[in-house]
Amino acid sequence: MIRKFTFIFFSLLLLVSCSFSPLANKDIVQPGKQSELTAKEQIPMDFFPRNLTIAAVGDSLTQGVGDSTERGGYLPYLEDLLEQDKSVQDAAFYNFGVRGNRSDQLLKKLETEEVKDVVKNADVIIMTIGGNDVMKVVRENFSNLKMKAFAQEKINYEKNLTDVLNTIKEVNPNIKIVLIGLYNPFLKWFSEIREINDILEDWNSTSQAILAMYPGTYFVEIDDLFQNTQENLLFTDYFHPNDKGYELIAGRVHETLIKEVLKDLSYKRETTGNGESVIER
């Protein structure tokens, strides 16, 4: 009787131990753990505020012609906006804008060691270019403006812009490139000349098509800022933006940086001397 009871007891013990073994429970516990891990949300950008280095290149809009403060056009407004953002700890700007620069001249500027040294370590490069390419056609054909002349110059602009992007990417393959579009400064005074607006829209579309062939590039449209307003946004030369115009441009660039560029800009992990890991850009 004792032997029979002992046999039954050990048989039950064996069954119980098997039912609670890790292998038996694996299929029950593991899915819960897996779903818990996949449910983790992405860390918000302001959890690790960035130090940004931004190079600005291009024409008079980058230099800041028309800015009464002479601090650099849209750049000081953009710097203030960025440093008010929780995701940015500090933003260092380098301004290489030159009044009158066309796309071919920008290409030469990018090939200088001064600009290369900054671009090599920059996170973002912002460009304003193309306006003087259009004005070159206007000046050379003022008495006999024809669409054909703009079309020919646009071919040169396409090549130059492509060379500009290739040059930047060769120096820094990871840099984010932001191109600010063209606007029509003649709209308020010569609104009846529809062709100029059509030409600028065409050039903006061309710029966007070229940018689309390169990863890490962004287009900022500003033409609508100057079209859909009764407020004067132009300097006394009726061509360059005034302070309010530059402020609005900065707001549009800031919007692109926060909503698109910074989200695509990866963090870089470094190790300090004591072995602790820190996250910095």
Side-chain angles (χ1 to χ4, degrees), residues 210-256:
I210 294 174
L211 290 176
M213 296 187 290
Y214 292 82
T217 59
Y218 311 82
F219 183 82
V220 179
E221 183 178 352
I222 62 170
D223 191 38
D224 60 307
L225 295 175
F226 294 84
Q227 287 190 38
N228 305 323
T229 181
Q230 296 299 318
E231 185 177 6
N232 178 32
L233 302 179
L234 298 179
F235 185 52
T236 54
D237 61 4
Y238 304 120
F239 186 81
H240 296 94
N242 57 19
D243 292 352
K244 184 61 179 180
Y246 279 123
E247 185 178 3
L248 291 176
I249 292 173
R252 189 62 63 81
V253 176
H254 174 256
E255 182 180 341
T256 299

Side-chain angles (χ1 to χ4, degrees), residues 87-102:
S87 64
V88 178
Q89 180 170 316
D90 180 67
F93 284 82
Y94 295 83
N95 190 341
F96 297 107
V98 179
R99 181 174 189 166
N101 256 14
R102 300 185 306 272

Side-chain angles (χ1 to χ4, degrees), residues 124-130 157 161 165 176-183 200-212 214-224 249 252-257 259-261 264:
V124 181
I125 183 168
I126 306 175
M127 304 189 298
T128 57
I129 204 66
Y157 171 73
L161 180 58
L165 295 174
K176 304 302 180 184
I177 302 174
V178 177
L179 175 62
I180 299 176
L182 303 177
Y183 68 96
L200 293 175
E201 286 181 4
D202 182 40
W203 281 52
N204 280 333
S205 296
T206 296
S207 297
Q208 289 175 276
I210 294 174
L211 290 176
Y214 292 82
T217 59
Y218 311 82
F219 183 82
V220 179
E221 183 178 352
I222 62 170
D223 191 38
D224 60 307
I249 292 173
R252 189 62 63 81
V253 176
H254 174 256
E255 182 180 341
T256 299
L257 289 176
K259 291 185 177 180
E260 300 181 54
V261 180
D264 295 339

